[in-house]
């Protein structure tokens, strides 16, 4: 069941990617440590520089795979060495770009919704003032 929000007391809040770290691993010391390690490793591995290094590492094994002369060995090199090593950091970089875009949209939406919330509060105040005037007019007319 959805909770009804009172527009007069509601306070809009902005939730960004970095605000949800505690939800993933918890707020215990071990949870904070796990989140910090995961974020640090992701920041290191999730760079295009890491993708370039991984490409070079994968290419070191390519001559040995070619020398084997087997299509199976080449497919194995391509799938296990090259694709996994190189795509991992590239995917992380892409996710960071997407996340930054989502955060930017969230901030813009938050600003818009906060303005709309303020307008709603003002409208309610105006309507309450109009109701008071109408009540006074009814009392005088009645």
């Amino acid at each position: 069941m959805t909770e009804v929000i009172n527009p007069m007391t509601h306070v809009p809040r902005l939730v960004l990617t970095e605000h949800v770290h505690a939800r993933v691993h918890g707020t215990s010391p071990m949870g904070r440590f796990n989140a910090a390690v995961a974020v640090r490793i992701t920041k290191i591995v999730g760079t295009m520089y890491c993708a370039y290094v991984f490409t070079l590492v994968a290419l070191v094994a390519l001559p040995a795979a070619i020398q084997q002369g087997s299509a199976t060995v080449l497919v194995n090199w391509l799938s296990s060495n090259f694709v996994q090593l190189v795509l991992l950091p590239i995917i992380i970089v892409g996710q960071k770009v997407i996340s930054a875009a989502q955060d930017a949209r969230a901030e813009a939406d938050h600003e818009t919704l906060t303005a709309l919330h303020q307008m709603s509060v003002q409208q309610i105040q105006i309507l309450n003032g109009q109701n008071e005037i109408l009540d006074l007019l009814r009392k005088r007319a009645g």
Side-chain angles (χ1 to χ4, degrees), residues 59-79:
L59 290 175
V60 166
L62 180 59
I66 293 172
Q67 191 176 32
Q68 292 286 326
S70 168
T72 305
V73 172
L74 284 173
V75 168
N76 188 36
W77 172 85
L78 181 65
S79 64

Side-chain angles (χ1 to χ4, degrees), residues 22-120:
R23 290 185 184 178
V24 176
H25 287 287
T27 57
S28 69
M30 185 54 97
R32 288 192 310 272
F33 174 76
N34 289 340
V37 168
V39 168
R40 182 75 179 139
I41 290 173
T42 301
K43 284 183 177 182
I44 292 168
V45 174
T47 64
M48 288 307 296
Y49 299 110
C50 192
Y52 301 142
V53 168
F54 284 0
T55 300
L56 293 175
V57 168
L59 290 175
V60 166
L62 180 59
I66 293 172
Q67 191 176 32
Q68 292 286 326
S70 168
T72 305
V73 172
L74 284 173
V75 168
N76 188 36
W77 172 85
L78 181 65
S79 64
S80 65
N81 288 358
F82 189 77
V83 172
Q84 289 181 24
L85 278 176
V86 176
L87 285 185
L88 172 66
I90 293 172
I91 289 169
I92 294 172
V93 170
Q95 287 298 316
K96 287 190 324 190
V97 170
I98 291 168
S99 178
Q102 289 172 333
D103 281 353
R105 279 192 295 276
E107 288 182 42
D109 289 348
H110 177 71
E111 291 170 2
T112 300
L113 292 172
T114 300
L116 290 172
H117 170 71
Q118 290 301 324
M119 289 170 44
S120 295

Side-chain angles (χ1 to χ4, degrees), residues 131-141:
N131 285 338
E132 289 175 17
I133 292 170
L134 289 173
D135 287 342
L136 287 172
L137 290 173
R138 281 190 201 104
K139 287 179 185 174
R140 285 191 180 173

